Amino acid sequence: MSESGASKLAIANVADPMSVIVFGSINMDLVARTPRIPAAGETLIGHSFATVPGGKGANQAVAVARLGVPTQMVGRVGNDLFGQDLLKALQDSGVGCDRLTLDPSTHSGVAVITVDDAGENNIVIIPGANGRVDQTDLESLKQVLPTAKILMLQLEIPLPMVVAAAQAAKANGVTVILDPAPARSDLPDELYPLVDIITPNQIETEQLVGFPVTDADSANRAAAILHQRGIPTVITKLGQQGAYCITPAASFHIPIFPVKAIDTVAAGDCFNGGLAAGLAVGLPLRQATTQAAAAAALSVTRPGAQSSLPTQAELTAFLAHHSAASEEAGE
Ligand code: RIB
């Protein structure tokens, strides 16, 4: 037992030299499929219900691991049935879990999700064990950071832990990718210069910069603000409008891969996983971002969070299919 009364799960796997570490949340998603998102005060009869492993941190870890890159998860689950299932889901996808803490003082994180017939969703998170991530987990992270290439962070664990993890990563020369989700406008100034790549979606970008980002011009203006705050690479994920990747030296746009979306839960996580996996194996930024967009496109064609994340073989086949289709169309 650690100081906080939590125990480490003794599962094998030490981070490899080019590995990705995710320090973040692990949730069980309670998913209701409904014809549409209900209005306030409305009761709707839904189509179906499922429990699916999720959590932005765990989703990103699974996304990277399924793409064949050694991945380790640092975070917390409760000592309950959801916790056991969440651990197993991570292990089954090949994510290293020896730095996962089992916290007997609370329940595992849960997310209550509604997905409508158009594939859109809304999500309420009850952090549970994710909200108890503390110094003990940070120390555990610090032990493996020197062996990592990339640290992936999100905002579903306490913010001071996110900042401290980014500081530790910087001290070890590890690239920090921050997914500023869920959206918030109060990120501390000290966090920005610790981040190498930030990947906000439309809502998150607006929260960070204070105006809506809808096109290349507004994406450039938002990126300029984030550069000024200290982040060199800004990738804005604009859903149907694709992604804008903007650094002080260069910028490019990656259009979406056209697919029929049935469920967008974890699409952003899948994008980040594709990006990190690409960068971890040495792909240039443009190719890694293209891989990210392709992985995210594949994920929206399937239901659920971790259940929707593609393997390396699936992604390779998808990219080959799309490149053949573009050639045929003379693009
Ligand atoms: O990004 C999708 C994820 O957000 C879901 O899996 C849910 O758990 C919430 O964390």
Side-chain angles (χ1 to χ4, degrees):
M1 286 291 213
S2 70
E3 285 161 28
S4 63
S7 61
K8 291 273 171 309
L9 296 166
I11 315 294
N13 230 341
V14 180
D16 284 330
M18 303 311 259
S19 75
V20 172
I21 298 179
V22 182
F23 187 47
S25 60
I26 308 161
N27 292 332
M28 185 58 84
D29 292 352
L30 312 181
V31 187
R33 303 260 348 182
T34 60
R36 57 190 167 73
I37 306 290
E42 182 183 14
T43 301
L44 265 187
I45 306 282
H47 302 308
S48 64
F49 172 75
T51 53
V52 186
K56 293 186 197 306
N59 295 344
Q60 294 184 13
V62 168
V64 178
R66 289 209 183 135
L67 295 178
V69 173
T71 312
Q72 191 144 26
M73 179 84 213
V74 184
R76 276 187 191 225
V77 291
N79 187 11
D80 50 22
L81 287 178
F82 282 168
Q84 298 301 327
D85 288 349
L86 291 166
L87 169 65
K88 184 167 185 314
L90 286 164
Q91 289 172 319
D92 286 351
S93 292
V95 176
C97 293
D98 64 327
R99 305 226 158 226
L100 213 66
T101 299
L102 185 66
D103 188 334
S105 71
T106 186
H107 60 84
S108 295
V110 290
V112 179
I113 303 182
T114 309
V115 182
D116 71 13
D117 283 348
E120 295 298 338
N121 66 73
N122 64 16
I123 304 181
V124 175
I125 290 159
I126 300 94
N130 299 307
R132 306 262 167 110
V133 167
D134 66 11
Q135 201 63 32
T136 320
D137 306 287
L138 184 66
E139 291 308 318
S140 186
L141 170 72
K142 283 181 180 171
Q143 286 169 14
V144 279
L145 261 181
T147 63
K149 185 172 187 187
I150 295 171
L151 174 68
M152 302 180 78
L153 298 168
Q154 320 76 31
L155 303 177
E156 287 183 344
I157 58 171
L159 194 49
M161 291 298 112
V162 173
V163 175
Q167 276 163 345
K170 260 280 161 296
N172 282 283
V174 174
T175 297
V176 175
I177 302 180
L178 173 66
D179 187 3
R184 54 194 293 173
S185 56
D186 60 346
L187 292 188
D189 292 346
E190 60 180 320
L191 178 59
Y192 291 96
L194 301 170
V195 173
D196 297 288
I197 302 175
I198 193 165
T199 59
N201 69 15
Q202 211 152 11
I203 295 171
E204 292 145 11
T205 311
E206 182 167 355
Q207 285 286 315
L208 293 174
V209 301
F211 55 82
V213 172
T214 53
D215 54 15
D217 178 55
S218 47
N220 272 304
R221 283 187 289 118
I225 291 173
L226 295 169
H227 291 156
Q228 215 168 16
R229 290 182 193 164
I231 304 179
T233 301
V234 178
I235 303 180
T236 353
K237 302 180 283 199
L238 294 190
Q240 287 301 306
Q241 292 171 73
Y244 288 93
C245 179
I246 303 167
T247 74
S251 72
F252 56 85
H253 174 247
I254 304 291
I256 59 152
F257 287 80
V259 291
K260 177 160 170 38
I262 63 152
D263 182 346
T264 58
V265 173
D269 300 329
C270 191
F271 182 101
N272 276 49
L275 177 73
L279 295 175
V281 299
L283 289 185
L285 186 58
R286 183 189 278 269
Q287 275 165 265
T289 311
T290 302
Q291 166 167 297
L298 249 176
S299 78
V300 303
T301 65
R302 305 157 171 183
Q306 288 169 32
S307 49
S308 72
L309 305 173
T311 62
Q312 194 173 18
E314 289 167 337
L315 184 60
T316 305
F318 179 82
L319 281 165
H321 171 78
H322 277 271
S323 110
S326 315
E327 267 170 37
E328 226 168 80
E331 288 166 11

